[in-house]
Amino acid sequence: MKKLLFNFALLFFTINLYAQSIHLGSIDFQDERFRNEQLISNTNPGNSFTIRPLIIKSDSITTLSNKIEFNFLPITLNQQFNTLAPFGRNDGSMIPAKGYQMRINAGFTAKYKRFNFRFNPEYVYAENLDFELFPNYVVSSVRLGYINYLNHYDIPERLGATAYKKLFWGQSALNYSIGKVNFGISNENLWWGPGKYNSLIMSNNAPGFVHFTFNSVKPVNTPIGSFEWQLISGKLVGSGLDIPIENYIVGTTNYKNIKSKEWRYLSGLTINYHPKWIPGLYIGMNRIFQIYNNELGNSFTDYFPVITPFQKKNLKNEDAKQRDQIVSLFLRWVLKESKSEIYFENGWNDHKEDLWDLFQDPSHARALTFGFAKIFKNNETSNHYFKFNFEHTQLQQSADRIARPAGAWYMHGYVKHGYTQMSQVIGAGIGPGSNSQTLDFSLWKKNEVWGFQCERFSHNLDFAYDVYTNYNIGEYNRKWVELIFNAYGYKNFGKITLNGKIGTSINRHYQWQIPNNKNNYQLLLSVQYHL
C-alpha cells in the first residue's frame, strides 16, 4: 500500500517547470495553433484542449537575481467599431456597444521558487452610443414576455447612457505549482469544453472573475489513462446598472422585480479523461453552481456543491438552498490519420430528479454544441496548411417545451441575475434561447493566418415563440436572424503583431420587428508590441 501511494504521489509532483498561460483571445492565435498541431503531429498528444487557458513552458525569462525570474508581457491594444448596434462575443472585458471601443493591457510575470505571479490589468473605453432598442409600443402580452427576461437576467441592452470606462484586473493571477498540480487565485478568463466559438458552461464572453483554483498543469498519467481537471470557487458581481423604470411598465402597472444587491458565490468543476486504449478520445464533465452570498451555508458541501449527487432525489432540501446549477457532458475525438477532430457538448440547465427523469426526458432543459474541424496539408514538411471548421450551438428549448417548459438557458428561479458576470453571459456568447451555425475557412502559415467566416445567428427564439405564438398573435415568422460574414487576418512583424477583422451582419427583423431589416458593419484592429 505504501508503494502504491508513493507512486501515485509521483504522478503529481515529479515535474518542476516555469510555465505561463496563453490567455484566451490571444491575437496571435497561439492556443488554436497548438490545437491544430495536435491534429497534424505529435505535439501535446495527451492535452485535451478542453480546459483553458493553456499552460506552456516559458523560455523568455529574465533573471533579476538567483531567486527571482522576471518577464515583461506584451502591450496589447484591441479596438473595434460597430455602426448599427452592439456586437461582440468572446472578447472578455470588452462590452457589446455601438461606436468605437478599445482595450489596452500590459504587465509582467515573476517567478519565485514555486510561486508564479502574473500582473496583467486591462482598461476598457467604449463610446457606448445610443441605438435602437426593443420598442415600448408593442402589445401588452409581448411587452410582459420581454419584461420577464429583464427580471431574470442581468443583461441590459445598453450599459448605461454615457461612455463606458473601467479598469479590470484582467488576466492577473498568483499560482503555486508543484509538478503537475497548481493552486492559485486568479482573475483570468476560463474556457471549459471542446467548442471553438461557444462553450455552454465557461467562456471568455464576459470579464474574468476572481476565483480560487485547484487544477492540473499537465495531464496526469495513470494506469488507465490520463486526467485533467480544474476546481474553482469564485465571486460573480452584477452590472450595477438600473434599467429605466419605464421599461417595466405596462399600462399603469410596474412589473419590475428587485434583484438582490449581493454578490454571487460560484462553485465549479471540470474534469476530463483520456482512455489509454482509445488514442485521441477525451470525455469529460462540467458542473457549475451559483448562489447569492447571503444564502450560502457553512458546510463543506455548501462551499463545494459540485461534489454532491446529480440526482435531486438524493439531496435533502435542495430547493430550500436557493442555488442554481448547470451541468454538461462533453467529448472530443482527435483523428490524426485524417488530420481532423469531432467534438460534442450536451448540457442541462437544472437538476434531474433521478436517472429515469434523464432517460425519459433527456431533452428537457437541454442545450448542445457540436463541431468538426479538418486540416488539409499536401506537403508534410511545410508549415502551410488549410483548415475548415464547422460548429452548431443550440440554446433554444427543444420541442419538449410544449409539455414541460424549462425556461430559457441561463435563466433560473432563484438567482435573478442569470448566469452572468458584469452584465454578460459567462457561457455561450450567443445568449439565452439563441442558435448559431458557423463555417470557418482559414489558411495557416508560420507567422500569419488568413480566414473567412460566415455565421447564421438566431436571436432568442425562446422569446420569439413565447410572445408571438403562445398569445395567439400567430406571427410565426417574427424571428430576428443575422447572417454574418467576416474576413480576418493575423501577421507577425518581429516585435509587432497585427490582427484585424472586417465584417458585416445582415439583420432580418431586427429586435423581432416587421419590417425592420438593417445591416451592421464591424471593424476590429489589434496591435501587440513585444518588449
Side-chain angles (χ1 to χ4, degrees):
M1 177 60 73
K2 291 182 179 179
K3 184 176 180 180
L4 178 63
L5 292 175
F6 177 74
N7 289 335
F8 185 74
L10 285 178
L11 295 173
F12 290 86
F13 305 124
T14 52
I15 295 179
N16 185 24
L17 53 83
Y18 179 46
Q20 66 177 20
S21 59
I22 304 175
H23 71 265
L24 297 171
S26 176
I27 70 172
D28 58 4
F29 295 95
Q30 193 172 8
D31 54 349
E32 187 177 354
R33 189 180 292 273
F34 280 132
R35 184 166 173 166
N36 293 348
E37 290 175 354
Q38 188 184 50
L39 307 186
I40 58 180
S41 69
N42 292 320
T43 303
N44 296 311
N47 197 314
S48 68
F49 291 92
T50 63
I51 304 176
R52 293 187 282 160
L54 298 177
I55 307 297
I56 64 168
K57 185 176 180 180
S58 176
D59 297 319
S60 179
I61 301 171
T62 301
T63 303
L64 298 182
S65 69
N66 59 353
K67 293 183 178 181
I68 300 176
E69 296 168 341
F70 183 87
N71 182 36
F72 281 111
L73 295 170
I75 301 172
T76 305
L77 174 66
N78 299 94
Q79 304 168 94
Q80 66 172 245
F81 184 82
N82 285 301
T83 61
L84 171 71
F87 183 85
R89 301 203 297 265
N90 301 336
D91 51 11
S93 54
M94 298 183 87
I95 65 171
K98 177 182 175 181
Y100 175 77
Q101 180 173 188
M102 58 82 74
R103 177 180 65 206
I104 187 167
N105 63 282
F108 63 87
T109 62
K111 178 181 183 293
Y112 175 73
K113 295 184 178 179
R114 298 187 185 275
F115 287 96
N116 290 277
F117 177 58
R118 178 188 180 104
F119 182 64
N120 195 197
E122 301 169 345
Y123 175 75
V124 174
Y125 166 81
E127 277 188 293
N128 197 27
L129 301 177
D130 191 19
F131 60 94
E132 180 181 338
L133 304 175
F134 187 77
N136 288 332
Y137 57 77
V138 296
V139 297
S140 297
S141 58
V142 172
R143 192 68 203 169
L144 286 172
Y146 186 74
I147 290 173
N148 182 53
Y149 281 85
L150 294 181
N151 281 327
H152 285 86
Y153 291 107
D154 181 27
I155 314 178
E157 287 188 87
R158 186 182 178 200
L159 272 69
T162 60
Y164 181 92
K165 305 172 185 177
K166 196 165 186 67
L167 182 64
F168 298 85
W169 282 106
Q171 309 308 306
S172 300
L174 174 63
N175 293 300
Y176 181 81
S177 299
I178 308 176
K180 297 184 179 181
V181 175
N182 178 74
F183 304 86
I185 181 171
S186 171
N187 198 78
E188 291 178 295
N189 281 112
L190 306 174
W191 187 290
W192 292 356
K196 178 182 175 183
Y197 309 102
N198 286 293
S199 173
L200 300 182
I201 303 293
M202 190 72 70
S203 76
N204 63 330
N205 185 65
F209 56 90
V210 176
H211 60 273
F212 293 98
T213 178
F214 168 55
N215 59 280
S216 57
V217 176
K218 295 183 68 178
V220 175
N221 298 315
T222 73
I224 61 171
S226 63
F227 292 85
E228 297 170 273
W229 75 87
Q230 185 168 34
L231 175 67
I232 64 170
S233 295
K235 177 182 180 180
L236 303 179
V237 296
S239 65
L241 297 174
D242 200 10
I243 297 173
I245 194 66
E246 57 266 24
N247 290 350
Y248 293 91
I249 295 177
V250 177
T252 59
T253 305
N254 178 7
Y255 289 92
K256 182 176 182 178
N257 293 335
I258 303 300
K259 294 182 175 69
S260 172
K261 300 295 184 182
E262 284 283 332
W263 60 271
R264 286 158 287 144
Y265 173 79
L266 178 143
S267 174
L269 172 67
T270 180
I271 185 169
N272 70 72
Y273 166 54
H274 178 202
K276 64 177 295 185
W277 306 277
I278 310 177
L281 177 65
Y282 307 89
I283 53 178
M285 178 272 295
N286 299 315
R287 195 181 192 190
I288 287 287
F289 282 83
Q290 64 166 334
I291 184 174
Y292 287 113
N293 179 56
N294 60 345
E295 301 289 344
L296 182 64
N298 54 18
S299 71
F300 183 81
T301 56
D302 288 328
Y303 284 102
F304 298 99
V306 290
I307 66 172
T308 59
F310 284 89
Q311 301 178 62
K312 188 180 285 188
K313 72 174 186 177
N314 295 328
L315 297 168
K316 291 184 178 180
N317 302 319
E318 177 60 26
D319 289 337
K321 293 182 181 294
Q322 300 193 26
R323 61 190 182 192
D324 292 323
Q325 176 193 212
I326 311 176
V327 65
S328 72
L329 302 175
F330 63 83
L331 175 151
R332 177 174 178 252
W333 201 340
V334 176
L335 307 169
K336 286 184 176 290
E337 294 80 4
S338 58
K339 297 181 177 60
S340 62
E341 66 169 299
I342 55 175
Y343 56 85
F344 179 82
E345 183 178 12
N346 194 95
W348 294 272
N349 202 39
D350 201 359
H351 273 94
K352 291 295 183 182
E353 186 65 31
D354 52 31
L355 285 178
W356 277 115
D357 186 18
L358 175 63
F359 295 148
Q360 289 181 160
D361 210 355
S363 64
H364 176 69
R366 185 198 69 186
L368 62 88
T369 290
F370 66 84
F372 169 80
K374 179 170 175 58
I375 289 176
F376 299 88
K377 186 175 183 180
N378 292 328
N379 187 344
E380 295 298 328
T381 62
S382 171
N383 56 15
H384 296 186
Y385 54 86
F386 176 80
K387 184 180 182 183
F388 166 76
N389 265 101
F390 169 77
E391 185 172 295
H392 167 79
T393 300
Q394 179 178 325
L395 301 186
Q396 174 195 0
Q397 292 185 66
S398 69
D400 175 75
R401 63 175 289 149
I402 299 172
R404 189 184 177 189
W409 247 69
Y410 308 124
M411 176 190 287
H412 291 104
Y414 299 121
V415 178
K416 301 299 184 183
H417 286 74
Y419 186 51
T420 62
Q421 159 72 354
M422 299 186 71
S423 79
Q424 299 188 66
V425 170
I426 303 170
I430 58 176
S434 302
N435 298 339
S436 71
Q437 298 80 36
T438 306
L439 288 170
D440 197 318
F441 308 88
S442 53
L443 177 64
W444 295 71
K445 299 180 180 181
K446 183 178 180 181
N447 290 312
E448 54 187 288
V449 178
W450 306 98
F452 179 77
Q453 185 182 99
C454 53
E455 179 183 38
R456 176 184 177 271
F457 173 27
S458 301
H459 290 255
N460 202 342
L461 290 167
D462 285 337
F463 168 72
Y465 286 124
D466 282 344
V467 302
Y468 291 112
T469 62
N470 287 358
Y471 295 104
N472 298 316
I473 297 176
E475 295 182 355
Y476 299 96
N477 65 337
R478 196 182 275 261
K479 301 170 185 175
W480 176 9
V481 177
E482 281 187 72
L483 294 180
I484 305 168
F485 302 94
N486 293 314
Y488 62 89
Y490 140 78
K491 189 171 178 61
N492 176 261
F493 299 91
K495 289 192 172 185
I496 297 177
T497 298
L498 298 179
N499 182 310
K501 182 168 76 172
I502 185 169
T504 182
S505 62
I506 304 169
N507 289 261
R508 181 168 176 80
H509 303 165
Y510 176 76
Q511 294 286 1
W512 302 278
Q513 303 305 300
I514 300 178
N516 197 19
N517 302 327
K518 301 187 176 189
N519 294 350
N520 181 60
Y521 300 95
Q522 185 183 60
L523 177 65
L524 291 90
L525 178 63
S526 299
V527 183
Q528 188 173 82
Y529 178 73
H530 298 263
L531 299 172

